[in-house]
Amino acid sequence: MADGRNYWILCSVVFFGLGCAAYFSLSGRLMVEQSGLAVILSLCGLWISRRWITAFFTCLLISSFCFGILVASIHVEMAPSGLLTKTLYMTEVEGDITLLEPQGGRTRITIVPIRIDGLEQQEFDWKVRMSLPGGENLTVGDRIVASARLFPLRAQSTPGDPDFSRKLYLDGIGATGFVFGHKYRVTKAADPGLFQPLSQSIEYIRHVIMQRVDTVLSWPESGIAKALIVGERGDVGAKTAEDLRKSGLAHLLAISGLHMGLLSGTVFFVLRFVFAAVPTIGLQFPIKKWAAVAAMLSGIIYLGLSGASVPTQRAFVTLIIVWLALLLDRRAISLRLVAVAAFVILMIRPDAVLGPSFQLSFAAVTVLVAFYDGPGRQWFDRTGERSWLFRVGIFFIGLIVTGILITAVTAPIIGFHFGRISMIGILSNLIAIPVMAFWVMPLIVATLVLMPFGAGALPLWLMKPGLTLLMQTAAIAAQQEWGLWYVSQFSGIFATGAMIAVAWVLIWRRNMVGWFAVIPMCIAIAGQVMYRPADMLVAGDQKSWAIFDQSKDQLILPTGISDFQQSVWMARFGISDDRKDQVIRECDAPVCSAVIADKRIVVARELVNPFYACRHADIIVNLAHDIPHDICPGKVMAIDDDQLWWQGGVAVYGLNTDTPSFETVRKTAGDWPWIIIGGRSPK
């Protein structure tokens, strides 16, 4: 164990992340005092056990875990209070715009409200996010007065569905909504100056860049360009986005290590080349360190312009450490670098650990660093004296190996969150990565450099064929049915256990301690064996529902269900778009029924005769009205309007057993301040 002390920091960061995840997996929040006490006690244990290596290491992991819980609890305590709990169907909102997100003909704005009709001013210390038509002339800092409809944060539709309300809450947003048509007035803000808030100045610059891109490029290339330059993906077409996901190229739209590394790397090598071309400078000054400083500054600028998403933050922290190590003449590429980046991100946003963006970013980077810091380094170090043709071949072989490694390590994460795994991404990235590295990203650097001088149109125009090639590559790859595997939702225990096991092996890959990865992997397998997927879902909106018949491979849905809800549930049951027509059966009748495993299910908007239904069905769902509790026999499962309103969506399990059961969102999501159901939130 003593020989592995260099890896203790890596294990500590892993358990710190587990602590953050564990906190948000609780049924309700812990107070800061409680989590702080746990940290103090664990540190006491750490001090007492300092003479025994194994005990000290164990206490170190426990302390890291408790510290993760403490950081998460602090962030929740700092979040806004008194969120909107009831819909304001017609209200007037006045506030200052802090964020603009174009969304294909509409604009989503985030404002800091100073007045909301129907609420006292002391009732809101949160921001509002609304959408409105048009909005091309809006800028950050403008004051808007709008007639709008505001909604509380919406909880999960059913247990197991994505929870978007937690991120909104921790972003400081307490209500969402939309503006009625063009019923809004805007007071233009002065151009941002030195005394304007930095965040507003950055958002203003991002908005100007998006306008410049729109004047030079046409759609859909303009949407891709804005996603790559400023991180705004609202104008990326739905079909293009779907093609990128199916082809395994969706990572191109999320500004991460690839983009940050290519951009700052381009700045580094171009400036170093320029300095070296002048002998007076190149021979007398540390031009390598000068170029590194410029690369750091370019990374800071790109971080702000791109919106500072989780992958961008991770990439920025990583690159800063790389460039600092270069300035100090130290070697920086190691798993410690990844651990420091993860720790910084989780200190800023502990809830990020539950999101696919964070998980995919760090899983991919960790496996690549572990490989190329080991056998990969030996492989590439031997190519320096070979011919350029050989080195080009090694470059593409490296891309294939990279694709295989990333696909293998991220497959459980992608399958858990999205219900599908792209295998063709290994091939499509052979085209996309060189195009990004040698064509698109250098022109993005040129655009950002020349745009302040009014000369950004030329590099944007030269960038367009490269963007078109990327979209064509994605479209062709997405058409290959064999390249996309669909999987039904599996256990969160399996996904978590598998990720911990992989992380443990990568950390202790040169030590026998790595065999302890068998423990989380066994837990993962046991969790999957015991996992029961839902057979029936009823959403809290009291309109949407789904019944999945495994024996017939058939999904029964009501007519008129939203495309988004349908896509979420199709992914949950592992149904591909190509099989949609064969698998989905729609019911447009007022009363729908199905027989699954000898159990008769009745779903109705309104039951005319609930007494009759109770005598002839095993499961009854009355979406719009209550079911009197005294008319159904005890063996009948009844789900009605009252339950859906106060308890949220429902998931039914075990239709093929004698005793089916169900869970509600209220029960599974816990008593968190962002869980608002039936006009009530936990106090």
Side-chain angles (χ1 to χ4, degrees), residues 453-474:
F453 305 100
L458 178 60
L460 282 173
W461 181 76
L462 294 174
M463 192 192 307
K464 182 176 180 179
L467 299 176
T468 303
L469 179 58
L470 289 177
M471 290 189 294
Q472 290 175 345
T473 302

Side-chain angles (χ1 to χ4, degrees), residues 501-573:
V502 171
W504 194 267
V505 169
L506 293 176
I507 291 172
W508 297 95
R509 62 192 185 279
R510 299 169 184 169
N511 194 296
M512 290 297 293
V513 178
W515 285 101
F516 282 97
V518 172
I519 297 174
M521 183 54 70
C522 289
I523 295 174
I525 294 173
Q528 184 60 29
V529 170
M530 299 172 62
Y531 176 66
R532 294 187 307 165
D535 299 304
M536 178 178 174
L537 303 170
V538 184
D541 63 4
Q542 300 171 254
K543 298 177 183 177
S544 307
W545 52 270
I547 303 172
F548 186 60
D549 188 344
Q550 296 185 16
S551 62
K552 298 179 181 178
D553 193 24
Q554 187 176 76
L555 181 64
I556 307 172
L557 299 171
T559 302
I561 187 174
S562 70
D563 293 337
F564 174 76
Q565 188 67 74
Q566 178 174 299
S567 65
V568 169
W569 285 348
M570 285 175 57
R572 184 165 178 170
F573 292 112

Side-chain angles (χ1 to χ4, degrees), residues 423-480:
M423 304 302 296
I424 200 172
I426 298 173
L427 300 178
S428 58
N429 277 286
L430 291 176
I431 299 174
I433 298 299
V435 170
M436 283 290 297
F438 303 116
W439 189 340
V440 175
M441 288 308 297
L443 289 173
I444 287 179
V445 175
T447 299
L448 294 176
V449 171
L450 296 176
M451 191 171 286
F453 305 100
L458 178 60
L460 282 173
W461 181 76
L462 294 174
M463 192 192 307
K464 182 176 180 179
L467 299 176
T468 303
L469 179 58
L470 289 177
M471 290 189 294
Q472 290 175 345
T473 302
I476 294 173
Q479 294 173 1
Q480 313 306 313

Side-chain angles (χ1 to χ4, degrees), residues 24 163-171 349 351 354 674:
F24 291 109
D163 182 9
F164 303 108
S165 59
R166 179 181 58 243
K167 181 181 183 302
L168 291 174
Y169 174 77
L170 293 174
D171 283 339
R349 283 300 299 260
D351 63 304
L354 299 177
W674 58 82

Side-chain angles (χ1 to χ4, degrees), residues 23 83 95 114 117 140 171 201 207 223 231 258 289 329 334 336 364 396 402 452 462 487 495 520 560 564 591 601 657:
Y23 176 80
L83 303 185
I114 60 176
D117 287 357
V140 172
D171 283 339
S201 300
H207 187 64
L258 173 66
K289 295 183 179 181
D329 298 318
S334 67
R336 286 192 179 188
F396 282 98
T402 297
L462 294 174
V487 295
F564 174 76
V591 179
I601 304 170
T657 65

Side-chain angles (χ1 to χ4, degrees), residues 228-244:
L228 296 176
I229 298 174
V230 296
E232 181 50 63
R233 291 179 278 180
D235 281 346
V236 177
K239 185 180 185 307
T240 300
E242 185 66 13
D243 287 344
L244 289 168

Side-chain angles (χ1 to χ4, degrees), residues 652-670:
V652 180
Y653 304 89
L655 289 182
N656 58 346
T657 65
D658 295 334
T659 57
S661 61
F662 71 89
E663 291 182 334
T664 65
V665 171
R666 175 68 76 187
K667 178 181 178 181
T668 58

